[in-house]
Amino acid sequence: MTHSSTTDIRTVAARQTSASRRDFLHLSGTAALLAAAKAALPSGAFAQATGPEVKGTRLGYIALTDAAPLIIAKEKGLFAKHGLPDMEIAKQASWGATRDNMALGFKANGIDGGHILRPKTHLYATGKVMQNGQPLPMYTLLNLNEDGQAISVSNEYKDLNVQKDASPLKQAFERKKAAGKELTAAMTFPGGTHDLWIRYWLAAGGIDPDTEIKVIVVPPPQMVANMKVGTMDCFCVGEPWNEQLVNQNIGYTALTTGELWFKHPEKILGMRADFVDANPKATQAILMAVMEAQQWADKMENRQELAEIVGKRQWFNVPTGDINKRLLGDINYGNGREAKGTNLYMKFWGEGGATSYPWKSLDTWFVTENIRWGKFDPTIDIKALVDKTNRADLWREAAKTLGVAGAPTADSRGVETFFDGMKFDPAAPLDYLKALKIKRVA
């Protein structure tokens, strides 16, 4: 090797050593800056910058219009926007299938949460509807919608023009029963919202839903077909199935559930507690994506597009014409009655997110009603169950990150009033129970 070559090698080595020293000093300085930044930030803020713990999970939904926020969050890229590109929104065959898949969890090829009937959180968490009575800890994260369901009646009773007052059906039911025919009222899941709406309506009309008619479970997408073949006298379900029933001239809508209790809570985003507890950042990302979807869906100018999206083959596989009108508040009841531009359309967000916010007082009503019909023992600690399952705190955290103005901070929406004049004070649920005439408790 020549002297020149040796000198060149030494020069290169020296330069590399110098560069390595500079790189080391630069990296050390960066590490120090990062450590200082971490120390200066509030607890959790630095970790938040690293993004969700997972890239996604699987949420279930039933083909009902109130699943729209989950579908819109997926279609509009809102999950991906919040760091969850792998979110899967999976159709469920029935509310029973939803329960079974929730029990499995995503890791066992089930679901970690999704679009569910609001009382399901309480029914799952207590094990009341679970296999072997095994409790499944659950959280209510947000309310997906208000209103937008209906109670529909077979055309067999078209001449009665039944509306909010169910009492005209009482004598008709008695005559049918005397003729040896079976009476059935269909809903979607025992103890769920539709079960409670149809029971409330029948009982307010003097009809005992446990002794004067048989209440059966039918999956939402099968309601219309079952009434068509004459296997039910009335049913309660979400849209688009009531509107489809009218469009096919099989039955008519007696009332929308907004007429029974205006701005009533309906479906929720419910999730397994173990997922939420293990993935707080991913949970916040899911919340924010769905909340943004709710804001989009709440705008009337987006309703037609919403109907077109959820009606697609991969979601509902339902004609847009069976979805869009009631989303706009245009109600064709199906028996000559029509109401256009009403406030009975489905609500997704509300002022300051008041529709989306999971008010604990509303959970209190659902638990109380399920005591009424024997799903829960009268001695159950209502407040403890609601406090254990309702995570309004996580909603408020997400709303703060999103910069939501005027977001709710209280636990109670106050006294609720129903179409028959009955009032529910969440501070005194047992007084409400005592005032009800038809019930399964003393």
Side-chain angles (χ1 to χ4, degrees), residues 219-423:
Q222 296 175 25
M223 286 289 187
V224 176
N226 274 272
M227 188 168 276
K228 187 174 184 177
V229 297
T231 58
M232 62 180 72
D233 297 274
C234 56
F235 65 61
C236 182
V237 71
E239 297 301 342
W241 308 112
N242 299 281
E243 188 164 3
Q244 186 178 90
L245 180 85
V246 168
N247 289 344
Q248 294 186 14
N249 195 29
I250 296 165
Y252 67 98
T253 292
L255 74 162
T256 71
T257 48
E259 293 171 88
L260 188 150
W261 174 14
F262 186 58
K263 288 191 174 182
H264 69 76
E266 184 51 44
K267 307 300 188 302
I268 60 164
L269 169 59
M271 294 199 73
R272 290 173 54 111
D274 58 2
F275 176 88
V276 173
D277 293 342
N279 303 284
K281 289 178 285 184
T283 300
Q284 283 294 300
I286 291 170
L287 269 168
M288 288 189 286
V290 176
M291 288 161 78
E292 287 192 359
Q294 287 183 287
Q295 293 173 49
W296 182 90
D298 216 33
K299 294 175 181 175
M300 298 308 282
E301 62 266 30
N302 292 333
R303 295 294 173 104
Q304 178 64 25
E305 184 184 351
L306 187 156
E308 291 169 0
I309 289 172
V310 300
K312 288 179 181 179
R313 186 180 184 87
Q314 70 265 37
W315 298 117
F316 293 2
N317 195 24
V318 170
T320 303
D322 288 346
I323 305 170
N324 59 354
K325 290 184 177 64
R326 294 197 182 194
L327 269 175
L328 297 171
D330 295 342
I331 316 293
N332 174 10
Y333 289 86
N335 60 347
R337 277 198 303 146
E338 284 194 50
K340 293 196 173 182
T342 74
N343 59 2
L344 299 172
Y345 51 80
M346 192 174 286
K347 297 134 186 93
F348 295 102
W349 181 247
E351 187 175 348
T355 295
S356 173
Y357 184 69
W359 301 92
K360 288 187 177 182
S361 61
L362 303 180
D363 283 331
T364 301
W365 182 82
F366 282 116
V367 177
T368 304
E369 272 292 298
N370 271 322
I371 293 172
R372 176 187 186 180
W373 300 115
K375 295 292 188 297
F376 289 126
D377 191 277
T379 60
I380 191 171
D381 189 333
I382 300 174
K383 186 179 185 303
L385 177 57
V386 171
D387 286 343
K388 183 179 179 181
T389 55
N390 185 298
R391 296 306 304 271
D393 58 317
L394 299 181
W395 188 98
R396 290 191 295 267
E397 186 180 337
K400 185 177 181 181
T401 305
L402 288 174
V404 175
T409 56
D411 285 334
S412 178
R413 201 169 74 167
V415 175
E416 305 289 342
T417 304
F418 298 81
F419 81 99
D420 57 349
M422 184 65 68
K423 293 184 183 296

Side-chain angles (χ1 to χ4, degrees), residues 127-159:
K128 288 293 180 182
V129 298
M130 306 306 292
Q131 189 173 8
N132 301 321
Q134 183 66 37
L136 175 64
M138 291 283 298
Y139 293 144
T140 295
L141 297 183
L142 58 71
N143 192 63
L144 283 170
N145 70 297
E146 292 171 342
D147 301 341
Q149 324 296 297
I151 296 173
S152 291
V153 179
S154 167
N155 275 342
E156 180 181 347
Y157 308 100
K158 203 163 191 175
D159 61 320

Side-chain angles (χ1 to χ4, degrees), residues 47-56 79-85 275 278-286 288:
Q48 184 65 37
T50 63
E53 300 86 352
V54 294
K55 295 297 182 184
F79 287 124
K81 171 187 171 183
H82 289 283
L84 299 167
F275 176 88
N279 303 284
K281 289 178 285 184
T283 300
Q284 283 294 300
I286 291 170
M288 288 189 286

